[in-house]
Amino acid sequence: MRGRSMTRSRISSTNGIRGVAGNAGARRVVGALAAVALAGSLAACSSDGTSDGAVAPDGAYEDAFAPDQWRDVPTDPQEEYDDSPEQPFQDVTTSPLSTFASDVDTASYSNLRRQLRQGVEPEGVRIEELVNYFDYDYPAPEPDAEDPFTVTTQVADAPWAPGHQLAMIGVQATDVKPTTRGNNVVFLLDVSGSMDEPNKLPLLADSFALLVEQLDEDDTVSIVTYAGSDQVLADSVPGDRRGEIVDILRELRAGGSTGGARGLETAYELAAKNFVEGGNNRVILATDGDFNVGPSTPEQLTELIEEHARTGVYISVLGFGMGNLKDSTMEAIADHGNGNYAYIDTLDEARKVLVDEFDSTMFVVAQDLKVQVELNPATVSQYRLLGYDNRRLEDEEFADDTKDAGDVGAGHEVTAFYELVPAQGSGGDDGLDYQDVEPGSSGDFLTVHVRYKDPGATESTEVVFPAGADTYTTRPTSDFRFASAVVEFALAATGSQHAGDADPARARERAGAALGEDPYGLRAEFVTLVEEYLELTA
């Protein structure tokens, strides 16, 4: 496999989107809502259209999104999102612990960008995915560090809630890959009729061609397509035969219904047949999410994905297109399969996910990473976790090594925000005879507990990071100011019941003043997106 790219070329586009960098995403914990999301999206596509498969010139994909004028209309009702309820404020004396699974998915941000380019109000906005789309300057662990990540905390005032505070927690994974063995990757490509659009199958082919350029003779590539039936187009082709692989991608045609379950089984069979012990064994599913499991039930599909994840074959999901995007299905598949989910709206985004973030997408350094935050009643009276709405865990699940959680890839970052209501004086006499809730004298805001497994391990390790009084500052870093602006915008865009006076215009100004070096224009692009949102909702 080739080394990670240290330079990133820019691709011109008609909508002003620039070359991209940043951090990516792992899975989401899936409960009953995810199973419902899978069940609700099993409609087959019946279109029999065909595509000429030609590679569109740069900008053609963006042209497919560009509206004639801004339209204040909802997203196409065929698009499906899992809108889990947000967390209300919790009382520290009765709920001192907050537990969630790590998440480094970024699909929500690029999907938001696509929706705003269409001129519609965004749906499926997940706060944590917007925040985790960007890079932050967290200290990285030393190459010989005992744990494969560091944890950084910072506390400052909440811009949208006078008297409240924000705690920013950042987990930075090592960029040292856990293995030098080869990649065994299976491309599982949706070529059904619903993919017969310029921003779907042609963009998919161009995107995977970028990925192929990262492979070499130590890697193998298999290609499975599915529509009404599945077809194996390549079986363990050496990665340095790039021309052969790209030719197959260029010849793809769309048409027929969507029979995804059999294609998924075939892809896993190929991955198992070509399994590289100690290497990266992964299925990469590319689809618009209109995924028909045929005769299988959602429970059977979930069982299939989880069974193969336990063998060391993981799955990453790339979403394409608009109109019938099944965001909830793709998120659920990635969750169950120890994978990550990204949405590809432009060739720039493909380069970000498949080239610039190749190592973090492919190589896991910490499995089932869970975070449990213990709030201190001496300094905090109430709190709420911002985002991670379908990643929250029961407190007792933190130490349960059988409970699946998010995996973190090489170089990944995980960022979370808590909104805090400061404690006012001591607890006083609560009138209870048998329970003492008098807070101690510690000035800590909180303590961050992290559990993770080494790749392939079955038992977890816990690491503890206290956030003392010195983590509070009246002059937060540019990373804090920018990331908090992203959160403020997301609170407004989602219509959060706990948004206080969250103002997108103020978020735009704060983000614009905290761009930092921004070598690839990602933060500047966010400022532009907020401006477009303001225009749309004016």
Side-chain angles (χ1 to χ4, degrees):
M1 183 199 68
R2 294 183 174 182
R4 188 176 182 180
S5 172
M6 300 301 293
T7 61
R8 299 171 176 144
S9 62
R10 302 192 180 194
I11 304 173
S12 63
S13 67
T14 58
N15 64 10
I17 297 178
R18 303 235 177 135
V20 285
N23 66 356
R27 286 126 322 281
R28 303 186 155 272
V29 167
V30 179
L33 284 176
V36 172
L38 281 168
S41 58
L42 305 183
C45 172
S46 61
S47 172
D48 292 322
T50 59
S51 169
D52 60 9
V55 179
D58 292 344
Y61 311 123
E62 290 79 5
D63 287 342
F65 300 133
D68 295 331
Q69 59 186 10
W70 290 109
R71 304 184 306 277
D72 187 12
V73 296
T75 304
D76 192 302
Q78 294 185 51
E79 297 191 2
E80 297 176 2
Y81 299 95
D82 177 14
D83 294 322
S84 299
E86 65 177 334
Q87 183 179 62
F89 279 96
Q90 307 292 304
D91 193 314
V92 176
T93 59
T94 57
S95 300
L97 299 177
S98 173
T99 309
F100 64 95
S102 65
D103 182 24
V104 288
D105 291 348
T106 59
S108 184
Y109 181 86
S110 48
N111 191 37
L112 164 76
R113 178 173 60 204
R114 183 267 298 183
Q115 291 176 97
L116 291 178
R117 300 299 185 192
Q118 281 183 267
V120 299
E121 291 191 60
E123 288 190 78
V125 177
R126 294 184 285 272
I127 293 175
E128 70 279 8
E129 295 189 23
L130 268 61
V131 171
N132 283 320
Y133 186 84
F134 301 94
D135 275 329
Y136 304 104
D137 190 22
Y138 301 135
E142 296 296 329
D144 59 349
E146 183 176 359
D147 302 301
F149 57 84
T150 60
V151 173
T152 303
T153 55
Q154 188 174 176
V155 179
D157 294 333
W160 60 84
H164 290 194
Q165 297 168 333
L166 282 181
M168 181 181 183
I169 300 172
V171 179
Q172 174 66 62
T174 179
D175 60 4
V176 178
K177 293 183 297 184
T179 179
T180 58
R181 302 295 300 275
N183 294 286
N184 163 35
V185 292
V186 181
F187 300 166
L188 177 56
L189 309 179
D190 182 353
V191 294
S192 63
S194 65
M195 295 293 289
D196 188 22
E197 297 180 16
N199 59 318
K200 292 187 180 181
L201 193 56
L203 178 56
L204 180 157
D206 282 356
S207 299
F208 277 82
L210 292 175
L211 171 58
V212 169
E213 289 300 317
Q214 309 310 303
L215 305 177
D216 61 25
E217 67 276 3
D218 295 328
D219 308 313
T220 61
V221 174
S222 302
I223 300 176
V224 179
T225 61
Y226 69 90
S229 61
D230 64 286
Q231 184 177 2
V232 177
L233 301 183
D235 183 352
S236 61
V237 176
D240 59 347
R241 287 160 57 179
R242 302 183 191 95
E244 177 181 339
I245 300 170
V246 171
D247 285 345
I248 295 174
L249 295 170
R250 299 297 190 219
E251 293 173 1
L252 295 175
R253 301 293 184 270
S257 60
T258 313
R262 182 54 196 160
L264 191 60
E265 292 174 355
T266 301
Y268 276 128
E269 289 171 2
L270 283 173
K273 180 172 74 77
N274 301 314
F275 193 87
V276 176
E277 194 67 40
N280 169 49
N281 300 277
R282 186 173 298 268
V283 173
I284 304 178
L285 168 63
T287 177
D288 60 5
D290 199 2
F291 194 73
N292 185 345
V293 299
S296 301
T297 66
E299 291 76 17
Q300 290 170 328
L301 179 61
T302 297
E303 183 179 350
L304 170 68
I305 294 171
E306 291 181 340
E307 176 186 349
H308 285 285
R310 287 191 291 269
T311 69
V313 177
Y314 301 156
I315 186 168
S316 294
V317 182
L318 303 180
F320 288 84
M322 60 185 181
N324 62 339
L325 181 72
K326 302 301 185 286
D327 177 83
S328 55
T329 299
M330 292 185 285
E331 184 185 20
I333 291 172
D335 289 351
H336 284 292
N338 283 6
N340 49 322
Y341 168 38
Y343 176 77
I344 308 298
D345 60 332
T346 67
L347 200 56
D348 285 345
E349 188 66 17
R351 185 178 298 278
K352 171 184 182 293
V353 174
L354 299 175
V355 178
D356 300 330
E357 297 172 357
F358 181 87
D359 288 352
S360 57
T361 298
M362 294 291 183
F363 295 98
V364 173
V365 297
Q367 285 187 299
D368 291 338
L369 191 145
K370 306 171 188 173
V371 178
Q372 186 170 81
V373 176
E374 179 182 358
L375 285 301
N376 180 8
T379 54
V380 181
S381 64
Q382 292 183 307
Y383 69 91
R384 80 181 196 97
L385 174 62
L386 304 176
Y388 294 89
D389 295 325
N390 60 358
R391 300 291 283 173
R392 295 193 295 270
L393 301 174
E394 298 297 329
D395 295 335
E396 58 270 21
E397 291 176 327
F398 179 68
D400 182 359
D401 285 343
T402 66
K403 181 65 177 178
D404 186 51
D407 295 349
V408 177
H412 262 153
E413 298 166 349
V414 180
T415 301
F417 275 93
Y418 281 85
E419 185 173 344
L420 311 177
V421 179
Q424 302 297 325
S426 64
D429 184 2
D430 56 20
L432 300 177
D433 293 329
Y434 303 109
Q435 183 179 11
D436 180 11
V437 294
E438 182 74 21
S441 59
S442 170
D444 291 352
F445 285 95
L446 50 87
T447 298
V448 181
H449 301 255
V450 179
R451 273 192 178 272
Y452 73 97
K453 299 172 187 172
D454 290 324
T458 57
E459 295 184 0
S460 65
T461 300
E462 181 174 347
V463 191
V464 180
F465 303 86
D470 59 351
T471 58
Y472 175 80
T473 178
T474 58
R475 303 185 65 182
T477 62
S478 60
D479 280 348
F480 185 103
R481 288 182 284 123
F482 180 84
S484 67
V486 175
V487 173
E488 182 171 9
F489 166 72
L491 289 172
T494 57
S496 169
Q497 296 181 359
H498 306 281
D501 67 345
D503 181 359
R506 181 175 55 212
R508 175 194 59 192
E509 295 304 316
R510 191 162 72 260
L515 296 180
E517 294 182 2
D518 195 26
Y520 307 108
L522 294 181
R523 295 190 179 190
E525 180 194 61
F526 171 75
V527 174
T528 300
L529 290 179
V530 178
E531 292 172 352
E532 293 176 0
Y533 174 85
L534 290 169
E535 181 179 351
L536 171 64
T537 57

